[in-house]
Amino acid sequence: MFEDLNALSKTQKDFLFIAAWEMINCDGKPNGLELSFTTNVFKELGLNENDLVTNLEKSKAMMSLFVGNNNNIT
């Protein structure tokens, strides 16, 4: 799986992270296991914690721009 996912571009990996974040966030604030697992998976794909935080900030800004303030992303 990681071999296939590593073939994705940085932009595709960023989008995949946002999609994964939305899935783990949809039932409420993510727990420690969800955060740890997601962080570790994306580290394997070459995204560090700064990349993940940047992606979340961009996603939050886009959600705010298009649908108003969305507190579920933080």
Side-chain angles (χ1 to χ4, degrees), residues 6-35:
N6 270 318
L8 297 175
S9 70
K10 169 89 167 65
T11 301
Q12 290 170 315
K13 290 176 186 178
D14 290 342
F15 180 79
L16 183 60
F17 170 72
I18 295 301
W21 177 258
E22 290 299 323
M23 286 189 286
I24 68 167
N25 200 39
C26 72
D27 63 344
K29 191 172 183 176
N31 63 40
L33 178 62
E34 291 171 321
L35 292 173

Side-chain angles (χ1 to χ4, degrees), residues 13-62:
K13 290 176 186 178
D14 290 342
F15 180 79
L16 183 60
F17 170 72
I18 295 301
W21 177 258
E22 290 299 323
M23 286 189 286
I24 68 167
N25 200 39
C26 72
D27 63 344
K29 191 172 183 176
N31 63 40
L33 178 62
E34 291 171 321
L35 292 173
S36 177
F37 179 80
T38 303
T39 301
N40 289 334
V41 165
F42 284 94
K43 279 183 183 177
E44 286 288 324
L45 298 178
L47 297 177
N48 62 39
E49 289 183 34
N50 288 335
D51 294 327
L52 302 180
V53 169
T54 298
N55 287 337
L56 289 176
E57 289 171 347
K58 286 179 185 178
S59 176
K60 185 176 181 180
M62 292 298 290

